[in-house]
């Protein structure tokens, strides 16, 4: 696990926490969807950069 993959996974999990918070605050649905897409992209990129795939 290198530094970049760790940072991407941590940012993705931070954004997931933001999604949960925004849902509880009943924020606009489009904002939650945009945040969900960003979180998914960070998590997928972090997992794909892991060195276990080589």
């Amino acid at each position: 696990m290198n530094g970049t993959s760790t940072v991407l996974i941590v940012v993705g999990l931070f954004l997931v926490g933001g999604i949960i918070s925004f849902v509880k605050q009943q924020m606009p649905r489009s904002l939650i969807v945009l945040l969900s897409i960003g979180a998914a992209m960070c998590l997928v990129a972090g997992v794909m950069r892991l060195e276990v795939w080589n």
Side-chain angles (χ1 to χ4, degrees):
M1 185 182 252
N2 58 16
T4 307
S5 64
T6 304
V7 169
L8 284 169
I9 292 171
V10 168
V11 168
L13 292 175
F14 177 77
L15 291 175
V16 168
I19 293 167
I20 294 168
S21 174
F22 280 14
V23 168
K24 287 182 180 179
Q25 294 178 30
Q26 298 175 345
M27 295 293 244
R29 197 61 66 185
S30 60
L31 184 62
I32 295 171
V33 168
L34 185 63
L35 198 59
S36 301
I37 292 170
M41 287 173 40
C42 281
L43 288 173
V44 168
V47 168
M48 293 301 289
R49 287 190 56 90
L50 288 175
E51 294 172 356
V52 297
W53 307 116
N54 293 334

